Amino acid sequence: MSRLLPPQAGALLTIDLDAIRDNWLTLKGRLGGAADCAAVVKADAYGLGARKVAPALYQAGCRHFFVAHLAEAIDLRPVLAADTAIYVLHGVHPGAEAECAAHGLVPVINSLHQLTAWRSLARQSGKVLPAVLQVDTGMARLGLAADELDRVAADHGLLAGIELKFVMSHLASAEDQASPLNRMQLENFRAALARLPATRASLANSSGIFLGPDYHFDLVRPGAALYGVAPVAGQPNPLRPVIRLQGKVLQTRTIEAGTAVGYSHTWTAQRPSRIATVAVGYADGYLRSLSNRGEVHVDSVRLPIVGNVSMDTITVDITDVPEGRVGEGALVDLAYPGHGVDDIAGRAGTIGYEILTSLGNRYSRAYLGAM
Ligand SMILES: *Cc1c(COP(=O)(O)O)cnc(C)c1O
């Protein structure tokens, strides 16, 4: 996967579209015959480029795409064929209903207020408008609250003029298979479905797929697993890694024992050391919490980041690779299959999701895989 980096760029981010497609097929392969597999491409496909990723997934057979914001959906609509549905997880905000409908997008209705506004537009325009209805089953974040569900359950007429595509909910702890919350939310979801007009249902995110067939319903909504993030805490990851991040060495130097490195002198060499300065920093999403914790790899040798992560650079102890191997202009691996997004997240004290969505826009990007 190694490629030449344009001389004006400090780092190369390679995104493997074939791996993303394979991951989608792997997830789909875990479903029974009836359930379909969507793709969540919000936040620019978790930082990897929705306008590249979504069409690649379309080629693999994906026809349902979820984003968070209406603006993301409008941006994506032109790159996806008309036989796809694009769902807006945040629903439709007051004043944006006509725009949402004009672009042929499907809002996820999260409140009675949104429902009423979407219905009024349907009535005014004399059209039946599509929607997904979200119910809150135990996360208290988005979706109809219990009293709102009661109102709709008591009067299905509140859905008149709306083509209910799916009823959905979202799991709060799906990556923890032992959590009793999963079963509780499943039961709440089933109870809600029984009180609403018969339609298709959607509950599982990436991790939810691995909770088993009870959680699959008619449509699953993976995001992170498509991009290689491990779906089940503490278990081997069945998905392919998707990114490789290589940083360019700007300079190397030899320092004596006792020399301190970087802002605030948080690291001091205990032996004569060689230090490489690499052109990636926290402005590129290489989190500052990786100061003295992160590592880069060269020929699969682990090399520690020493000193604080700066805005535009990190400093790496390269003493353990042969002299001359890592010179000015060399590329070192910050993320690659041998040291993936979840490994970095573990060292940074966060989750793979945050590592991906923090990736900056200063990288030179290369996409692998036939389009
Ligand atoms: C982000 C999101 C998903 C995707 O979750 P992953 O854990 O990334 O698979 C699915 N459904 C909803 C409602 C979401 O907000």
Side-chain angles (χ1 to χ4, degrees):
M1 277 214 277
S2 175
R3 298 200 167 198
L4 279 182
L5 182 60
Q8 61 274 31
L12 176 63
L13 176 61
T14 307
I15 296 158
D16 187 344
L17 296 173
D18 283 336
I20 295 176
R21 275 191 284 247
D22 278 355
N23 289 341
W24 186 81
L25 290 168
T26 297
L27 296 170
K28 190 170 164 55
R30 296 189 68 97
L31 310 175
D36 205 348
C37 191
V40 179
V41 293
K42 62 191 179 188
D44 202 22
Y46 292 47
L48 303 185
R51 290 169 68 96
K52 292 275 195 333
V53 167
L57 286 169
Y58 180 88
Q59 282 184 334
C62 184
R63 294 295 179 269
H64 301 270
F65 295 87
F66 285 84
V67 294
H69 291 259
L70 180 57
E72 295 181 301
I74 291 171
D75 195 44
L76 203 55
R77 187 68 278 180
V79 303
L80 284 171
D83 64 341
T84 55
I86 305 178
Y87 309 93
V88 184
L89 288 166
H90 287 184
V92 56
H93 303 300
E97 294 86 358
E99 201 182 7
C100 185
H103 285 92
L105 305 167
V106 185
V108 174
I109 300 287
N110 289 311
S111 67
L112 275 187
H113 188 71
Q114 286 188 344
L115 179 60
T116 311
W118 195 234
R119 274 188 65 203
S120 321
L121 180 65
R123 205 176 313 116
Q124 280 162 30
S125 60
K127 286 187 192 139
V128 174
L129 292 178
V132 172
L133 189 64
Q134 176 154 227
V135 293
D136 176 35
T137 53
M139 190 168 178
R141 187 182 72 165
L142 287 171
L144 297 193
D147 59 323
E148 294 183 306
L149 175 63
D150 286 344
R151 302 239 329 251
V152 182
D155 180 8
H156 290 181
L158 289 171
L159 296 164
I162 288 178
E163 183 193 355
L164 198 53
K165 294 282 189 187
F166 292 94
V167 172
M168 68 168 263
S169 191
H170 190 50
L171 297 164
S173 296
E175 73 291 344
D176 175 9
Q177 298 198 328
S179 170
L181 190 56
N182 296 321
R183 192 50 54 188
M184 190 195 89
Q185 286 195 267
L186 177 64
E187 276 157 23
N188 290 345
F189 188 52
R190 283 185 175 142
L193 291 175
R195 301 170 68 200
L196 291 167
T199 186
R200 291 178 295 169
S202 174
L203 179 62
N205 65 334
S206 298
S207 304
I209 295 170
F210 293 81
L211 293 172
D214 281 358
Y215 290 80
H216 294 167
F217 292 91
D218 302 295
L219 186 72
V220 298
R221 309 184 308 271
L226 297 172
Y227 314 115
V229 173
V232 185
Q235 279 184 30
N237 187 351
L239 300 154
R240 285 182 60 186
V242 166
I243 68 161
R244 182 173 191 183
L245 178 59
Q246 296 162 283
K248 189 191 273 182
V249 173
L250 296 170
Q251 201 177 24
T252 63
R253 70 184 67 244
T254 302
I255 58 174
E256 290 170 11
T259 307
V261 172
Y263 281 122
S264 309
H265 281 191
T266 60
W267 184 84
T268 302
Q270 301 299 308
R271 57 177 177 172
S273 304
R274 278 179 296 117
I275 302 294
T277 303
V278 177
V280 171
Y282 60 75
D284 305 295
Y286 203 81
L287 304 182
R288 194 164 173 278
S289 53
L290 290 162
S291 299
N292 291 305
R293 301 182 68 100
E295 59 189 40
V296 310
H297 289 211
V298 170
D299 303 332
S300 299
V301 178
R302 308 151 73 101
L303 302 171
I305 289 172
V306 294
N308 281 347
V309 174
S310 301
M311 186 183 295
D312 314 300
T313 54
I314 49 176
T315 34
V316 181
D317 182 353
I318 57 167
T319 314
D320 289 340
V321 289
E323 201 157 349
R325 171 64 188 85
V326 183
E328 188 182 325
L331 292 180
V332 298
D333 278 313
L334 283 79
Y336 77 117
H339 183 64
V341 167
D342 289 310
D343 299 318
I344 298 170
R347 291 181 169 272
T350 183
I351 54 177
Y353 295 65
E354 193 178 24
I355 299 297
L356 285 178
T357 55
S358 299
L359 289 168
N361 45 31
R362 290 198 294 193
Y363 298 126
S364 172
R365 288 180 177 227
Y367 287 88
L368 299 182
M371 285 298 287

